[in-house]
Amino acid sequence: MNAETSLIQRIAVVGAGSFGSALASVFATNGHEVTLLARRDSLIQEINQHHTNKQYLPGVSLHPAIFATSDEKHIANADLIVLVVPSHAMRETCERIAPLLQSKSKVKVAHATKGLEVGTMARMSTVILDSCPFLQEQNLAVLSGPSHAEEVSRELPTTLVVASASKSTAEYIQDMLMNRVLRVYTNPDVVGAELGGALKNIIALGCGISDGLGYGDNARAAIMTRGLVEISRLGIRLGAAFNTFSGLTGVGDLIVTCTSRHSRNWNAGYLLGQGFSLDDALQKVGMVVEGVRTTKVALAVANEVAVPMPIASAIGDILFNQKSPRLAVDELMSRTRTHEMEPFIQDATTGWMFP
């Protein structure tokens, strides 16, 4: 632990959903001064008086030192601001709090939102920097990795990644989060961390659909594996490092989101596979399902940069074109034969192409 984070830090977590509440509890457990920004008075009262968030984390006791409030002026006093809001709310949230941060040139900002912005097709770090032009890129970080809030809040062993253009910023946040049950790694690849975290939600929808159809383990493994190819293919085209997708923010997050009943995206997909409409599935899940918006954005980006994403395209047809899930799977299975490995370099002797 460095000298700076050995001292008590003032942390403002913006967003009191499941993961925002879980992170706030981790920071408080580690001895930091934590303010949790929420919008509903009833939730603020519940957190402050009963130390629970029954809607998002039923059965969990939050750290009693967390102070919940709707007064965003507390942000101005923070050493670190952690944004945990849905992707569609990120720009509006940042624009609203930006005036409180303009005079704080050294404030550090992290986000834990796994989505892309509809319309601009931007990653969340781009949205934050656009909305807060005074914020320096080296003071911005991304939190990602295989980390269901339900398990983080119950102090079950979990790993996270902090990605930042600045090693010192990444290590600053790493030190504040690490404890006996939470191991945190750093990574310089912000693009890869954000894209891995966002795009895996599309594949989790697909795995849920497959499971809802009763297609079994073989089909789920195929969707996950070939889905990772699509994530890596688009990510690398957009500037991410290949190795990131073999790590916690790539295959790690993909595994947990595609196989767990904690996953909102898997649950929404499962309901779609069972025959529910998209609207009914989202209503039953009852929380933000980032994969739906991300599918639309990712397909637009992939089309723009000419990257094939057949699994994501099939999921898009189910979500937005009312295609039958069974028909979408049948069409995926009957596509023209192809090689498994990506065609980057061709061996002149054998004719095979290798990455």
Side-chain angles (χ1 to χ4, degrees):
M1 180 175 290
N2 63 46
E4 187 175 14
T5 49
S6 65
L7 303 174
I8 294 175
Q9 300 292 291
R10 293 167 298 184
I11 301 166
V13 178
V14 182
S18 56
F19 202 59
S21 297
L23 283 176
S25 205
V26 171
F27 284 123
T29 297
N30 289 353
H32 299 291
E33 183 182 311
V34 181
T35 300
L36 180 58
L37 276 294
R39 306 196 77 168
R40 287 188 292 112
D41 290 340
S42 58
L43 178 56
I44 292 168
Q45 185 176 15
E46 179 189 347
I47 292 171
N48 288 336
Q49 293 185 3
H50 304 290
H51 317 301
T52 60
N53 186 340
K54 292 179 181 178
Q55 179 180 354
Y56 293 108
L57 292 173
V60 169
S61 294
L62 300 174
H63 196 283
I66 296 171
F67 171 63
T69 180
S70 60
D71 187 354
E72 292 178 340
K73 291 181 181 177
H74 288 271
I75 291 172
N77 298 320
D79 302 301
L80 170 66
I81 297 160
V82 183
L83 300 166
V84 198
V85 298
S87 59
H88 65 267
M90 183 64 80
R91 188 174 296 274
E92 183 271 332
T93 299
C94 291
E95 289 175 348
R96 194 176 65 246
I97 67 174
L100 299 170
L101 305 178
Q102 276 187 301
S103 62
K104 294 175 64 65
S105 61
K106 293 185 178 180
V107 69
K108 290 180 171 57
V109 176
H111 83 82
T113 299
K114 297 175 178 179
L116 303 170
E117 187 177 51
V118 176
T120 66
M121 302 187 288
R123 293 176 290 106
M124 291 298 102
S125 62
T126 302
V127 173
I128 295 167
L129 292 170
D130 283 350
S131 305
C132 304
F134 52 85
L135 181 65
Q136 298 178 14
E137 186 177 6
Q138 62 262 33
N139 288 335
L140 179 63
V142 179
L143 295 175
S144 194
S147 50
H148 285 312
E150 294 83 354
E151 297 185 4
V152 172
S153 61
R154 288 183 169 85
E155 297 190 337
L156 299 178
T158 299
T159 53
L160 278 176
V161 171
V162 182
S164 177
S166 164
K167 183 181 178 184
S168 63
T169 294
E171 290 178 344
Y172 168 78
I173 298 170
Q174 177 187 43
D175 283 347
M176 283 195 287
L177 281 169
M178 276 191 65
N179 58 33
R180 63 180 180 82
V181 292
L182 185 60
R183 182 166 180 80
V184 184
Y185 296 83
T186 60
N187 188 326
D189 184 14
V190 172
V191 176
E194 288 186 304
L195 290 177
L199 298 177
K200 54 85 185 176
N201 288 328
I202 304 172
I203 308 307
L205 282 168
C207 287
I209 291 168
S210 177
D211 289 341
L213 289 167
Y215 281 169
D217 296 339
N218 295 346
R220 188 191 315 114
I223 293 169
M224 291 171 63
T225 306
R226 295 307 301 171
L228 182 60
V229 171
E230 294 188 15
I231 291 170
S232 303
R233 187 187 284 154
L234 182 60
I236 292 165
R237 180 66 61 89
L238 297 177
F242 174 77
N243 287 344
T244 297
F245 298 111
S246 64
L248 290 169
T249 62
V251 67
D253 208 356
L254 181 72
I255 290 170
V256 77
T257 311
C258 290
T259 61
S260 173
R261 291 183 181 268
H262 289 316
S263 167
R264 305 173 190 182
N265 293 278
W266 181 91
N267 275 292
Y270 185 83
L271 292 167
L272 291 169
Q274 292 273 292
F276 287 88
S277 69
L278 177 59
D279 288 342
D280 287 345
L282 295 178
Q283 186 174 3
K284 281 183 171 291
V285 172
M287 293 183 280
V288 174
V289 179
E290 286 284 4
V292 175
R293 289 186 179 87
T294 300
T295 300
K296 184 172 290 187
V297 178
L299 289 174
V301 174
N303 181 63
E304 191 173 279
V305 298
V307 169
M309 298 185 74
I311 295 174
S313 295
I315 294 166
D317 282 340
I318 295 168
L319 295 176
F320 310 120
N321 299 325
Q322 290 75 54
K323 179 171 282 188
S324 156
R326 288 189 186 277
L327 177 58
V329 173
D330 288 345
E331 290 178 353
L332 274 175
M333 293 297 289
S334 59
R335 288 183 302 124
T336 304
R337 67 181 188 175
T338 186
H339 304 302
E340 181 183 24
M341 300 181 75
E342 292 293 274
F344 292 135
I345 301 173
Q346 185 167 13
D347 184 284
T349 303
T350 65
W352 284 107
M353 295 183 174
F354 300 97

